[in-house]
Amino acid sequence: MVIKGKINKGEYFDSVTLMIVAQKLNGLDGVLDAAVVMNTEENRSILDASGLFIPEFRKAESSDLLICVKAKTDEDAKEALQHVDGILDSIRKEMSDTEDFLPKSLDTALKSMPDANLVLISIAGKYAEREAMKALKKGLHVMIFSDNVPLEDEIALKTYAHEKGLFVMGPDCGTAIINGIPLAFANVVKRGNVGIVAASGTGLQEISSILSDRGVGISQAIGTGGRDVKKEVGGIMFLQALDALDRDENTQVIVLASKPPAEVVVDKIVEKSKDIKKPIVAVFLGSDKKILTDTKIIPAHTLEQAALIAEKISKDENWHSVEDYLGKRKADLVDEKRIFNIIQNFSDKQKYIRGLFCGGTLCEEAQIILQDMVADVYNNITLDKEFVLKDPWKSKKNTLIDIGADEFTLGRPHPMIDYSLRNRRILQEVKDKNVAVILFDVVLGFGSNMYPAEELVPIIKGAQSQSTGKEIIFICSVTGTKEDPQDKKMVINELKKAGVFVFESNAAAAEYAGLIIQNISYKRAKEQSYGKK
C-alpha cells in the first residue's frame, strides 16, 4: 500500500466539486482511498484521522488544494494523481459550457424571475450576512443554508426581518417546505393540515416523513435554524412562524420541534400558545418534561411520538392511544430469541455502540433514548458536558457522533450528500475490538445522496470483512417517504440484504441498539454469576 499526495497552489473549488473529484479518483483501478480538500484545519484533521495526511501538507497555505491517494502500488498512486488535473479541467469546462442560465448576482437573478419572493443562500458562512441583508432590503424572505455564520449577524438579520414582516430561516437551515415547495434538504410529502415549526432540520424531516407515509399531509414546514431558540436570538423566527401557522387556513394542527430551547424562549412560546386555538404538539428533545406542565401544548418525548400524536389529532382520533401503540412497538422489539441469537456471535469483549449520524437532531434523539438504557454514552454534542468527547475523532465507550456538526463540515459537503467521511469512520470503528453495534441514519429526499444503498452496502460488507473473528451488528433508520427520489423501498431492501437491521424511525433504531447492549450486559452478568457458583 502506498500513500502519495500533492498540493495545487492557490486553487479553489467548492466542496461539492471536490467531492465529485474524490469519487472519481476512488473509482480508479488500484485506488484504495482518496481525498481532495481545501487546506482548512478541519480538513487536515479529517486527513489525519483517515491516514491520508502526508508530511508535505504541513507546508501548504490556507488557499491551497490538498490531494491525497492511497493505492495498492506506487504506479497506481502516481497514475491517480496524474488524473486529478484532467478531472478538474473537465468539470471547469462542463460548468462554462452549460446552457443553463446561472445568475452571478441577486440582481441578475431577480431580472430573470421578478416575481420571486424568497432567496435561498448557500455560500461560505462569513459572506452570508451581506447577501441576506441585500435580499431583505429588497423585501424578500430569506433561507440561509450556510453554516458557520456569526451569531451577531444572525441576530441582526432576524431583528431587521421581524421589523419588516419578513422571514429569515437559518442560518444552518437545512430544510423547509413552503406552500408545497421543498427547499434544500426536503422530502416529497403529501399536502395536508399539519404545520411544522422546527429549529432542527432532520427533526423536521423525520416528523414530516412519518406523517406523510401514514397518510397525513403537511401544510407548511418552516425551519428556523437551531440557534433561533437559544437565549441570544430569543426565538424571533420560531415565534413568528408560530403566528404564521396560526393565521394559515390550511393548518389545523401545529407541531413544534427543536433541541432544548432556552427557558426564556419556552416562556414566550407558552405565552403565545394561550391565544392559539389550534392544537399544538411539541417535542423539545432533551428538555425537562415539566416545562410544558399545565400548558395547552401537548408534549412528546421523541420525534416519532410527536408525529404520531399529530396524526391522531389530524384524523380527529384519540391521541392518547399513541402511548399504547409505542408500548406494543417496544414489546415487539424485545424478541428475546432473536436478540439471544445476535449476541451469541459476539466476542467476550464486544459491548459498545458507535453511532454515526448525518442528522444532528437524530443523533441527539438517539442520545436521549440510549442514555436511559446504557451507561457512558459519549458524544460531540452538548446535552451533558460530562460526556462530550474531548476529541470527536476518537470514540470512547458508547459514542454517538453528529457528523454534520461544524467541526466536520467546514469546507466539505454535508454528510447527507457526501458519505465519504462517515464511511471512513465506519471502517475505523469496526477495528475496535470492543464495538458490537454500528448505529447510523440514512436521510432521503431532495438534496441528499441519491444512491445511499450503492454507497453504504460495499462499506458495510468491507467493514464486516475487516472485523475478522467477531461479528458487528449494523442498525439504521431511514428517514424519508415512499415518494422520495431515492426509492425508499429499494434502499431498505438493499440494506436488509446486506444484513442491516432497518427501522423506519430513528427512535426505534436507537431503542433496538440499546436493547442489544442491555442484553449483552445481562448475559455477561449471568455468566459471571454462574462462574462464581
Side-chain angles (χ1 to χ4, degrees):
M1 184 180 70
V2 177
I3 298 174
K4 284 187 173 295
K6 69 173 186 174
I7 302 168
N8 280 13
K9 300 292 291 181
E11 284 199 9
Y12 175 81
F13 291 88
D14 67 81
S15 56
V16 174
T17 297
L18 297 181
M19 177 188 73
I20 294 168
V21 176
Q23 286 174 339
K24 288 180 182 288
L25 286 179
N26 277 302
L28 295 175
D29 288 340
V31 173
L32 302 172
D33 199 0
V36 185
V37 295
M38 295 307 299
N39 182 28
T40 65
E41 185 178 341
E42 291 75 15
N43 283 334
R44 286 197 296 275
S45 297
I46 291 169
L47 292 177
D48 190 37
S50 308
L52 292 173
F53 191 89
I54 59 175
E56 291 88 334
F57 288 168
R58 293 195 184 96
K59 302 172 186 172
E61 304 289 335
S62 60
S63 58
D64 294 343
L65 182 65
L66 308 182
I67 302 156
C68 193
V69 172
K70 183 192 293 182
K72 290 179 181 174
T73 67
D74 190 67
E75 190 173 331
D76 289 334
K78 286 179 180 175
E79 193 171 326
L81 289 174
Q82 287 170 0
H83 270 77
V84 173
D85 292 333
I87 296 169
L88 288 169
D89 285 342
S90 69
I91 291 174
R92 280 195 197 98
K93 191 169 186 305
E94 283 174 18
M95 293 176 70
S96 62
D97 289 349
T98 181
E99 294 181 359
D100 294 336
F101 173 61
L102 299 175
K104 303 293 185 187
S105 69
L106 177 58
D107 287 332
T108 54
L110 285 171
K111 283 179 184 173
S112 67
M113 193 182 289
D115 295 335
N117 66 353
L118 187 148
V119 177
L120 196 157
I121 295 172
S122 178
I123 57 177
K126 59 183 176 182
Y127 304 118
E129 185 273 341
R130 184 181 63 194
E131 298 304 315
M133 189 57 84
K134 277 186 201 171
L136 290 172
K137 289 185 174 177
K138 292 179 183 294
L140 303 169
H141 302 289
V142 173
M143 176 176 178
I144 306 175
F145 184 79
S146 315
D147 55 9
N148 295 296
V149 174
L151 178 61
E152 57 271 24
D153 288 348
E154 177 176 354
I155 295 170
L157 288 167
K158 290 185 169 176
T159 301
Y160 181 87
H162 182 65
E163 289 170 359
K164 302 294 180 185
L166 297 169
F167 272 100
V168 171
M169 296 182 282
D172 202 10
C173 181
T175 184
I177 302 170
I178 306 298
N179 295 330
I181 307 297
L183 300 172
F185 294 121
N187 302 92
V188 183
V189 301
K190 296 178 174 64
R191 298 296 308 274
N193 65 359
V194 177
I196 303 172
V197 182
S200 61
T202 44
L204 188 157
Q205 288 189 265
E206 176 86 340
I207 292 169
S208 60
S209 294
I210 290 172
L211 282 166
S212 188
D213 272 0
R214 296 178 73 88
V216 177
I218 306 302
S219 55
Q220 311 285 348
I222 304 171
T224 66
R227 292 191 309 210
D228 191 85
V229 293
K230 300 303 179 189
K231 181 180 177 183
E232 294 80 2
V233 185
I236 298 172
M237 287 298 134
F238 204 89
L239 295 163
Q240 187 166 310
L242 186 51
D243 273 335
L245 292 185
D246 184 32
R247 293 193 302 271
D248 181 30
E249 292 181 355
N250 295 320
T251 299
Q252 301 302 320
V253 184
I254 298 172
V255 179
L256 310 178
S258 83
K259 297 171 188 175
E263 188 175 340
V264 64
V265 177
V266 174
D267 291 343
K268 290 177 184 176
I269 293 169
V270 169
E271 188 62 29
K272 186 170 287 294
S273 71
K274 292 176 181 175
D275 297 324
I276 295 175
K277 293 181 180 176
K278 298 174 183 178
I280 303 173
V281 183
V283 52
F284 296 145
L285 288 170
S287 293
D288 188 332
K289 296 175 184 174
K290 296 177 183 175
I291 62 173
L292 296 177
T293 301
D294 297 328
T295 74
K296 67 164 290 182
I297 300 173
I298 302 167
H301 183 57
T302 65
L303 302 165
E304 180 186 32
Q305 187 182 30
L308 295 175
I309 292 173
E311 176 201 357
K312 290 292 182 184
I313 298 172
S314 169
K315 294 177 177 175
D316 200 20
E317 296 175 357
N318 176 18
W319 64 264
H320 294 282
S321 64
V322 169
E323 281 294 328
D324 296 335
Y325 170 85
L326 290 175
K328 183 178 182 309
R329 204 275 309 283
K330 190 164 188 175
D332 291 341
L333 288 179
V334 188
D335 181 336
E336 291 183 0
K337 185 176 179 182
R338 185 168 68 164
I339 290 178
F340 177 80
N341 288 335
I342 290 171
I343 64 176
Q344 283 297 99
N345 295 319
F346 289 149
S347 72
D348 290 342
K349 293 183 177 176
Q350 287 181 270
K351 55 186 175 182
Y352 294 135
I353 299 170
R354 297 291 157 79
L356 304 170
F357 292 84
C358 298
T361 306
L362 302 180
C363 182
E364 191 140 0
E365 182 179 52
Q367 173 82 16
I368 291 162
I369 292 168
L370 287 170
Q371 69 190 8
D372 289 339
M373 299 180 74
V374 298
D376 301 332
V377 184
Y378 289 83
N379 59 74
N380 65 328
I381 49 183
T382 54
L383 273 181
D384 184 344
K385 290 183 179 177
E386 182 183 351
F387 292 104
V388 173
L389 290 168
K390 291 181 181 175
D391 182 352
W393 301 97
K394 294 177 183 174
S395 297
K396 181 179 180 182
K397 297 186 178 179
N398 298 299
T399 289
L400 305 181
I401 296 291
D402 170 15
I403 296 179
D406 287 353
E407 62 261 35
F408 296 110
T409 57
L410 196 62
R412 294 181 60 85
H414 194 279
M416 280 162 56
I417 305 170
D418 180 5
Y419 286 1
S420 61
L421 183 59
R422 180 167 68 178
N423 288 346
R424 290 193 184 106
R425 189 70 179 249
I426 289 173
L427 296 175
Q428 175 186 323
E429 296 295 351
V430 298
K431 291 177 184 172
D432 186 335
K433 58 190 177 187
N434 296 309
V435 172
V437 175
I438 300 289
L439 175 66
F440 63 101
D441 57 350
V442 176
V443 183
L444 308 180
F446 296 117
S448 293
N449 188 305
M450 286 300 295
Y451 309 103
E454 288 89 334
E455 290 206 31
L456 283 166
V457 167
I459 292 298
I460 291 164
K461 289 181 177 176
Q464 286 289 16
S465 68
Q466 283 189 24
S467 59
T468 51
K470 58 188 173 71
E471 183 170 347
I472 300 282
I473 296 300
F474 289 83
I475 298 173
C476 86
S477 61
V478 177
T479 297
T481 71
K482 297 167 187 169
E483 289 76 27
D484 279 329
Q486 291 89 349
D487 189 346
K488 182 178 179 179
K489 184 177 179 182
M490 182 276 289
V491 171
I492 290 173
N493 286 341
E494 291 301 311
L495 289 170
K496 284 183 175 177
K497 277 189 216 172
V500 180
F501 291 87
V502 185
F503 295 86
E504 294 200 33
S505 80
N506 182 62
E511 284 175 16
Y512 197 61
L515 281 169
I516 288 177
I517 300 302
Q518 279 182 333
N519 276 272
I520 291 173
S521 299
Y522 297 154
K523 178 175 177 283
R524 303 268 162 80
K526 191 180 288 184
E527 288 170 349
Q528 286 178 358
S529 174
Y530 287 150
K532 288 177 182 175
K533 289 176 183 176

